[in-house]
Amino acid sequence: EAGVAQSPRYKIIEKRQSVAFWCNPISGHATLYWYQQILGQGPKLLIQFQNNGVVDDSQLPKDRFSAERLKGVDSTLKIQPAKLEDSAVYLCASSPWSPAAEQFFGPGTRLTVL
Amino acid sequence: GNSVTQMEGPVTLSEEAFLTINCTYTATGYPSLFWYVQYPGEGLQLLLKATKADDKGSNKGFEATYRKETTSFHLEKGSVQVSDSAVYFCALKIQGAQKLVFGQGTRLTINP
């Protein structure tokens, strides 16, 4: 079974530029998550989708971050404009729709903002 | 609020040493508890979990017991190997929710 796919793996941009990350979850997983992992910290949930609807985006900085999952499958996370403090690893995870279900994580995208 | 506090790293041990990584939590409600591991260059993987008080999760020689009275979920292994070198994250999930709340992670290095 294929795992969660993310691209790109690495991205370097200058502050005020825009960037987008892509995630393809495990086939059949209804729930998709984007986490931000700043160096030296644990992952923090940015947004959770159930199919193509948003379940939780309480910690998403909505003035600069946006995310979509239009067909309930793959998802895109965008930052516009980027700030230095956005440098982090962005992790995508997916799971079946159940509070008891295990989340499966992708390898992450490492973003460096200069 | 809900939070997880882990033992500060990095932790460096010799092969075959005994390992303990401390984890305590604060939660509203009754959480499930997890340990995730992140090997170099790879994504987070679930290592073990426990869903109720006094449950013991175990996998690959690692164990952790859900202690409600001390709000702890310490990770232990009797004899570590070089291949156990990784970053370990303690996490909780509140009952009825899917969101994971992670600790800050502990980097473990095992020397031969």
Side-chain angles (χ1 to χ4, degrees), chain B residues 3-4 54 58 88 101 104 109 111:
Chain B
S3 65
V4 175
D54 300 325
S58 61
Y88 292 81
V101 176
Q104 76 270 33
T109 300
N111 293 321

Coordinates of all heavy atoms in Angstrom, one line a residue, chain B residues 3-4 54 58 88 101 104 109 111:
Chain B
S3 N -1.8 19.7 26.7 CA -0.4 19.8 26.4 C 0.4 18.6 26.8 O -0.1 17.8 27.7 CB 0.2 21.0 27.1 OG 0.2 20.9 28.5
V4 N 1.6 18.4 26.2 CA 2.5 17.3 26.5 C 3.9 17.9 26.8 O 4.4 18.7 26.0 CB 2.5 16.3 25.3 CG1 3.5 15.2 25.6 CG2 1.1 15.7 25.1
D54 N -3.6 2.5 33.1 CA -2.9 1.2 33.4 C -2.7 0.3 32.1 O -2.1 -0.7 32.3 CB -3.7 0.4 34.4 CG -3.8 1.2 35.7 OD1 -2.9 1.9 36.1 OD2 -4.9 1.0 36.4
S58 N 3.2 -1.6 23.7 CA 4.6 -2.1 23.5 C 4.8 -2.4 22.0 O 3.8 -2.7 21.3 CB 4.8 -3.4 24.3 OG 3.8 -4.4 23.9
Y88 N 12.0 11.0 19.2 CA 10.8 10.4 19.8 C 9.8 11.5 20.3 O 10.2 12.4 21.0 CB 11.2 9.4 20.9 CG 11.9 8.2 20.4 CD1 13.3 8.3 20.1 CD2 11.3 7.0 20.2 CE1 14.0 7.2 19.7 CE2 11.9 5.9 19.7 CZ 13.3 6.0 19.4 OH 14.0 4.9 18.9
V101 N -1.9 16.2 19.8 CA -1.1 17.2 20.5 C 0.2 16.6 20.8 O 0.3 15.6 21.6 CB -1.9 17.8 21.7 CG1 -1.0 18.8 22.4 CG2 -3.2 18.4 21.3
Q104 N 7.6 18.2 22.5 CA 8.6 18.9 21.7 C 9.6 17.9 21.1 O 10.3 18.3 20.2 CB 9.3 19.9 22.5 CG 10.4 19.4 23.5 CD 9.7 19.1 24.9 OE1 8.6 18.7 25.0 NE2 10.6 19.2 25.9
T109 N 20.4 9.4 20.5 CA 21.6 8.9 19.8 C 22.2 7.7 20.5 O 22.5 7.8 21.7 CB 22.6 10.0 19.5 OG1 22.0 11.0 18.8 CG2 23.8 9.4 18.7
N111 N 25.3 5.1 20.6 CA 26.7 4.9 20.1 C 27.0 3.4 20.3 O 26.7 2.8 21.3 CB 27.7 5.8 20.9 CG 27.5 7.2 20.6 OD1 27.2 7.6 19.5 ND2 27.6 8.1 21.6

